[in-house]
């Protein structure tokens, strides 16, 4: 009798464990299915553990919060995006949020909700700071405005998911002192984790390549073979900085650049994409230019040569590709001047990065449409930010032999 009870207990426990395992396995398989549901089930957790706002996670995960806050993921609910919502229905707005703020609670239920959000973003452009106190924040800043926040990547139905503990391979439910522990999965260490938002399906290809093709470019690179995933470069040591082309030092570190005199006695700049896991740049939105300026004895510019690294597309009855001159992983390219003016004594090389080239054009044309004042203010800010992002990546002088 007693033995049977014990056996029964064991069977029930075993079934429970199996069900739970099946539960989180299927949650992992459907991780990016829409809508992304984070609503906490009936746990006896504290309000803090149930709170999906990044400022709540920050109470216990401060270093991740501080890095993430500086990243573009934290700024994804941006004036440049929201400023485009004015003439849209809320369903179309939510379509953008699929990547910019995809939690179920972040999506729009109505047009008026979308317009309120537009006004709120204008009113509190910087958001609110962590130390203003959670409750004060709650009223002022909506979860929606936190963009690609912690919960987007880490929470499904109240359950936390993350990579295995450092130095461990163990997957599955890990006990922890808060929010019922977490489920560890190696999926967090792989490029496929970023696919949902950084890769379009092949069906949307323009000239063979979708507008966003980063994961595919990576798959075709040496880095995929070497097991260097997006996280290796963009989350070194698991840091949540997500630096990219908007960061000068990060971008510079991906490239080897030298200048020399080539066999035809011409000043030459050589660039190799040595540590970039996809095309440089990967998106159609930035533009990188190499310029060479021939200068006379007094430093006056006599001639300029320019080469662009860009994938340029335009809309004409569907998207069309104009040119694709991006630098591929491991590719080396030479930029050599030719037939310099006979008064030229030296050449000045400059590599310029315009991370938001494409968006600047969009913002300018939106402003020409004379939008209503709330929208205008947002787009003006987006344009200002975009222009502020340009930088000089590299500069060097060479005497002409
Ligand atoms: C009350 C404190 C507290 C709050 C609030 C909190 N966490 Fe945690 N979190 C913990 C603790 C403790 C662990 C367990 C650490 C361990 O055992 O390695 C943990 C573990 C995790 C892990 C697994 C880390 C790993 O090693 O992979 C993730 C991911 C995570 N939390 C995300 C979040 C997110 C997202 C939020 C906000 C929505 C949040 N946490 C809110 C305390 C907290
Ligand atoms: C498949 C995911 C995805 C969808 C859907 C999406 N975006 Fe983006 N968006 C991105 C990524 C990734 C970036 C950053 C890379 C880049 O500059 O293209 C970005 C950047 C932007 C930027 C420039 C940076 C900023 O936030 O100011 C704007 C503006 C923008 N998107 C607007 C929109 C609008 C409007 C929609 C809906 C019509 C939309 N996006 C839909 C992924 C997406
Ligand atoms: C864009 C997706 C994304 C966002 C947003 C994000 N994380 Fe993570 N996080 C990850 C990935 C991926 C890893 C695992 C990285 C790895 O293993 O290389 C991770 C790892 C972690 C870990 C484990 C760190 C360690 O050292 O073991 C914690 C804790 C964590 N995240 C908390 C947070 C918190 C808190 C936020 C918000 C402030 C946040 N994450 C935002 C994707 C994200
Ligand atoms: C070997 C290192 C490395 C790997 C692997 C890598 N990246 Fe990058 N990534 C960089 C560097 C360096 C830059 C800055 C230069 C540039 O923009 O190409 C960058 C830039 C970016 C940008 C900025 C936008 C742009 O147009 O360039 C995005 C988005 C990005 N990476 C996403 C990813 C994703 C997603 C993966 C995985 C599929 C990935 N990266 C893999 C190094 C890497
Ligand atoms: C839920 C969608 C989503 C996921 C998942 C996601 N991202 Fe992003 N990511 C975005 C959006 C949207 C932006 C653009 C934010 C903006 O500027 O408005 C972005 C921006 C970036 C940038 C900055 C690019 C630049 O222009 O400088 C990098 C780097 C990046 N993501 C890397 C990653 C990596 C690595 C992963 C996987 C670990 C990942 N992202 C997962 C949506 C996502």
């Amino acid at each position: 009798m007693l033995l049977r009870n014990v056996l029964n207990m064991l069977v029930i426990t075993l079934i429970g464990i199996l069900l739970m395992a099946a539960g989180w396995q299927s949650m992992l398989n459907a991780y990016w299915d829409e809508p992304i549901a984070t609503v906490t089930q009936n746990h006896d957790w504290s309000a803090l553990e149930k709170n999906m706002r990044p400022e709540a996670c920050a109470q216990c995960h401060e270093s991740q919060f501080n890095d993430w806050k500086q990243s573009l993921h934290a700024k994804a609910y941006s004036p440049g995006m929201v400023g485009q919502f004015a003439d849209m229905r809320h369903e179309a707005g939510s379509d953008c949020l699929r990547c910019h703020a995809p939690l179920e609670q972040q999506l729009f239920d109505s047009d008026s909700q979308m317009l309120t959000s537009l006004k709120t973003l204008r009113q509190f452009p910087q958001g609110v700071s962590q130390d203003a106190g959670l409750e004060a924040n709650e009223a002022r800043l909506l979860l929606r405005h936190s963009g690609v926040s912690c919960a987007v990547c880490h929470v499904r139905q109240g359950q936390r998911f993350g990579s295995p503990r450092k130095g461990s391979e163990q997957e599955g439910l890990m006990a922890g002192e808060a929010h019922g522990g977490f489920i560890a999965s190696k999926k967090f260490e792989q490029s496929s984790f970023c696919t949902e938002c950084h890769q379009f399906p092949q069906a949307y290809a323009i000239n063979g390549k979708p507008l966003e093709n980063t994961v595919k470019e990576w798959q075709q690179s040496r880095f995929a073979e070497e097991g260097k995933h997006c996280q290796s470069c963009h989350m070194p040591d698991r840091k949540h900085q997500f630096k990219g082309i908007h960061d000068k030092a990060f971008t510079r570190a991906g490239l080897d650049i030298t200048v020399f005199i080539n066999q035809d006695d011409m000043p030459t700049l050589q660039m190799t994409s040595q540590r970039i896991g996809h095309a440089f740049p990967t998106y159609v939105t930035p533009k990188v230019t190499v310029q060479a300026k021939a200068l006379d004895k007094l430093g006056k510019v006599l001639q300029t040569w320019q080469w662009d690294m860009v994938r340029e597309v335009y809309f004409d009855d569907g998207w069309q590709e104009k040119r694709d001159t991006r630098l591929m992983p491991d590719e080396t390219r030479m930029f050599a001047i030719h037939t310099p003016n006979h008064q030229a004594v030296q050449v000045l090389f400059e590599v310029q990065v315009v991370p938001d080239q494409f968006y600047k054009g969009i913002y300018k044309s939106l402003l020409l449409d004379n939008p209503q004042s709330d929208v205008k203010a947002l787009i003006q800010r987006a344009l200002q930010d975009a222009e502020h992002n340009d930088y000089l990546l590299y500069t060097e002088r060479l005497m002409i032999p």
Side-chain angles (χ1 to χ4, degrees), residues 48-49 51-53 56-57 60-61 150-151 154-155 160-165 175-179 182 238:
L48 183 62
E49 289 162 286
N51 193 325
M52 286 302 134
R53 294 270 315 277
C57 315
C60 305
H61 300 290
C150 320
H154 287 296
V155 187
R160 270 32 166 214
F161 290 78
S163 51
R165 288 203 177 98
E177 278 150 40
H179 49 63
F182 68 98
R238 297 192 175 178

Side-chain angles (χ1 to χ4, degrees), residues 333-351:
R333 204 173 290 173
M334 307 281 185
F335 304 94
I337 68 152
H338 51 85
T339 52
N341 183 298
H342 67 276
Q343 284 178 334
V345 294
Q346 63 170 327
V347 169
L348 171 66
F349 283 104
E350 287 181 339
V351 182

Side-chain angles (χ1 to χ4, degrees), residues 32 72-73 76 99 102 152 194 197-198 230 234 242-246:
W32 294 107
L72 285 174
H73 282 152
C99 297
V152 170
C194 319
C197 308
H198 287 283
C230 318
H234 290 289
F242 302 103
K243 285 182 183 167
I245 197 161
H246 290 80

Side-chain angles (χ1 to χ4, degrees), residues 32-231:
W32 294 107
D33 283 4
E34 293 157 29
I36 295 180
T38 64
V39 176
T40 311
Q41 289 166 338
N42 46 351
H43 300 295
D44 54 351
W45 295 352
S46 65
L48 183 62
E49 289 162 286
K50 285 184 186 168
N51 193 325
M52 286 302 134
R53 294 270 315 277
E55 288 78 7
C57 315
Q59 306 298 311
C60 305
H61 300 290
E62 199 187 351
S63 68
Q64 284 83 10
F65 176 84
N66 288 341
D67 284 341
W68 168 83
K69 192 74 193 150
Q70 303 297 319
S71 78
L72 285 174
H73 282 152
K75 294 170 187 145
Y77 197 88
S78 63
M81 176 188 64
V82 179
Q84 296 181 47
F85 286 167
D87 301 324
M88 285 189 197
R89 300 300 309 270
H90 74 275
E91 292 90 350
S94 285
D95 230 23
C96 306
L97 300 193
R98 234 163 33 82
C99 297
H100 285 259
L103 296 177
E104 196 173 16
Q105 310 95 296
Q106 289 179 302
L107 304 181
F108 300 120
D109 288 336
S110 62
D111 292 350
S112 71
Q113 207 181 46
M114 193 164 81
L115 293 177
T116 306
S117 179
L118 207 144
K119 289 193 166 64
T120 315
L121 188 65
R122 188 185 166 189
Q123 208 179 347
F124 301 110
Q126 305 304 332
V128 284
S129 74
Q130 180 194 354
D131 44 42
L134 272 177
E135 256 153 52
N137 287 353
E138 213 71 54
R140 285 206 276 167
L141 194 71
L142 308 163
L143 173 65
R144 175 172 294 133
H145 291 211
S146 62
V148 183
S149 62
C150 320
V152 170
C153 291
H154 287 296
V155 187
R156 296 296 178 271
Q157 293 164 34
Q159 178 67 57
R160 270 32 166 214
F161 290 78
S163 51
R165 288 203 177 98
K166 270 188 190 156
S168 157
E169 299 257 304
Q170 205 185 334
E171 299 189 271
L173 184 63
M174 303 288 133
E177 278 150 40
H179 49 63
F182 68 98
I183 285 160
S185 164
K186 290 182 189 164
K187 288 194 175 182
F188 278 79
E189 299 167 340
Q190 295 159 4
S191 291
S192 54
F193 192 78
C194 319
T195 300
E196 189 66 19
C197 308
H198 287 283
Q199 175 71 43
F200 282 168
Q202 190 62 27
Y204 298 142
I206 304 154
N207 194 20
K209 300 156 290 184
L211 271 186
E212 282 189 7
N213 204 26
T214 310
V215 181
K216 209 149 174 214
E217 289 165 3
W218 170 80
Q219 279 163 350
Q220 291 161 354
S221 78
R222 155 173 64 89
F223 301 99
E225 262 166 57
E226 291 174 356
K228 286 212 175 79
H229 292 259
C230 318
Q231 291 86 333

Side-chain angles (χ1 to χ4, degrees), residues 292-296 299-304 348:
K293 291 174 186 158
L295 312 175
D296 69 8
K300 202 177 106 198
V301 179
L302 301 171
Q303 278 162 296
T304 303
L348 171 66

